[in-house]
Amino acid sequence: MKVFDRAVVADVLRTGIAGLELDLSEAQVEKLLDYLALLNKWNAVYNLTSVRDPLQMVTLHLLDSLAAVAAFKDAKNVLDVGAGGGLPGMVLAISRPDMKVSMIDTVHKKTAFLNQVKAELELTNVTVYTKRVEQLEVKTRFDVITSRAFADLSDFVNWSGHLLEQGGQFIALKGTAPAEERERLPKPWKVQKLQPLQVPGLEAERHLVFIKSEHAETV
Ligand SMILES: C[S@@+](CC[C@H](N)C(=O)[O-])C[C@H]1O[C@@H](n2cnc3c(N)ncnc32)[C@H](O)[C@@H]1O
């Protein structure tokens, strides 16, 4: 599908949400569609994602991120590192308006887009930072730090570990997470759980990797 046909896109999105058994209101589904329409529009100029087909964007971006929403059920204050066009951060913010979601990226055109989405969709739970995560300082640390397609797990925790509150956890959205990469994590970080994800309409392997300090209680 070349053009953004909202009715067709909405149909695929709604079927996927039903498959994931997610309880989203009609207003939230409309916001997800608004977000996708903006991503599609800005992508033409800003090159935010290499996925250009709106229907593929539903599966590879929206449903892929929505499949992870349940893992954030106890989260209150989340940071998405290397959020790019807002995945999974923007999808989490729309799905969980009660949760604070911060997104960080080094590339200004990406965070300009995220701020535009925040304004147009009136997302009061969103904060956007333009800088390297290693250089971010915050008054209140995060209970969950997430990322999708960001970096090797060791770099992810090394660069953002200073931002995680005591007892907090990392949740990385990955295709595969090879044992060698998981075992290479620097102390005190340890993989607590590796959870396969089923994304409606997607054959590819997807996983959530939960990482905690070995000094924290197990999940
Ligand atoms: C492959 S993209 C993934 C974007 C998005 N998470 C997704 O799944 O579509 C990785 C992003 O990380 C950002 N990035 C790379 N190094 C970073 C750093 N040290 N701090 C913050 N963002 C970084 C890049 O600018 C890029 O937008």
Side-chain angles (χ1 to χ4, degrees):
M1 186 169 92
K2 291 246 162 43
V3 290
F4 189 88
D5 183 332
R6 191 167 173 118
V8 176
V9 167
D11 200 36
V12 178
L13 178 61
R14 286 204 172 87
T15 305
I17 289 171
L20 289 168
E21 297 180 5
L22 274 179
D23 188 16
L24 296 182
S25 69
E26 194 47 37
Q28 285 171 309
V29 175
E30 288 299 323
K31 280 198 176 186
L32 287 169
L33 291 167
D34 290 344
Y35 164 55
L36 199 71
L38 285 170
L39 185 61
N40 183 61
K41 181 173 149 196
W42 280 56
N43 204 32
V45 183
Y46 271 31
N47 206 16
L48 299 165
T49 165
S50 58
V51 182
R52 301 204 169 268
D53 180 309
L55 282 184
Q56 280 195 7
M57 280 187 182
V58 174
T59 303
L60 297 176
H61 290 334
L62 293 190
L63 295 177
D64 190 58
S65 299
L66 285 167
V69 165
F72 292 78
K73 89 177 150 40
D74 298 325
K76 294 180 177 60
N77 185 22
V78 174
L79 175 67
D80 179 8
V81 179
L87 299 151
M90 209 50 91
V91 173
L92 290 173
I94 293 168
S95 307
R96 287 281 311 279
D98 60 307
M99 185 169 80
K100 286 191 199 161
V101 180
S102 297
M103 287 168 249
I104 182 165
D105 206 286
T106 47
V107 178
H108 186 264
K109 67 178 183 179
K110 296 185 179 178
T111 54
F113 168 71
L114 297 177
N115 275 315
Q116 184 70 20
V117 175
K118 173 186 168 167
E120 289 203 26
L121 272 58
E122 299 179 352
L123 297 172
T124 53
N125 58 336
V126 164
T127 305
V128 179
Y129 299 100
T130 311
K131 56 170 66 179
R132 296 188 68 82
V133 69
E134 305 91 302
Q135 289 161 1
L136 182 66
E137 286 173 25
V138 288
K139 282 201 192 111
T140 308
R141 287 188 287 163
F142 302 93
D143 56 356
V144 177
I145 301 183
T146 190
S147 69
R148 190 185 86 141
F150 173 60
D152 178 275
L153 292 172
S154 296
D155 289 339
F156 177 39
V157 300
N158 275 333
W159 295 344
S160 49
H162 64 291
L163 298 165
L164 191 68
E165 72 174 27
Q166 211 174 356
Q169 67 177 334
F170 294 97
I171 303 179
L173 283 69
K174 306 273 275 182
T176 55
E180 187 268 330
E181 184 180 338
R182 285 182 271 134
E183 283 154 16
R184 214 163 3 95
L185 277 177
K187 278 190 179 299
W189 306 112
K190 229 172 153 341
V191 171
Q192 298 288 321
K193 194 166 63 171
L194 182 66
Q195 180 188 321
L197 270 190
Q198 200 59 52
V199 180
L202 196 65
E203 291 294 319
E205 238 183 290
R206 304 293 294 150
H207 287 91
L208 293 180
V209 189
F210 297 79
I211 298 168
K212 270 194 155 188
S213 163
E214 61 190 7
H215 305 306
E217 290 170 39
T218 52
V219 284

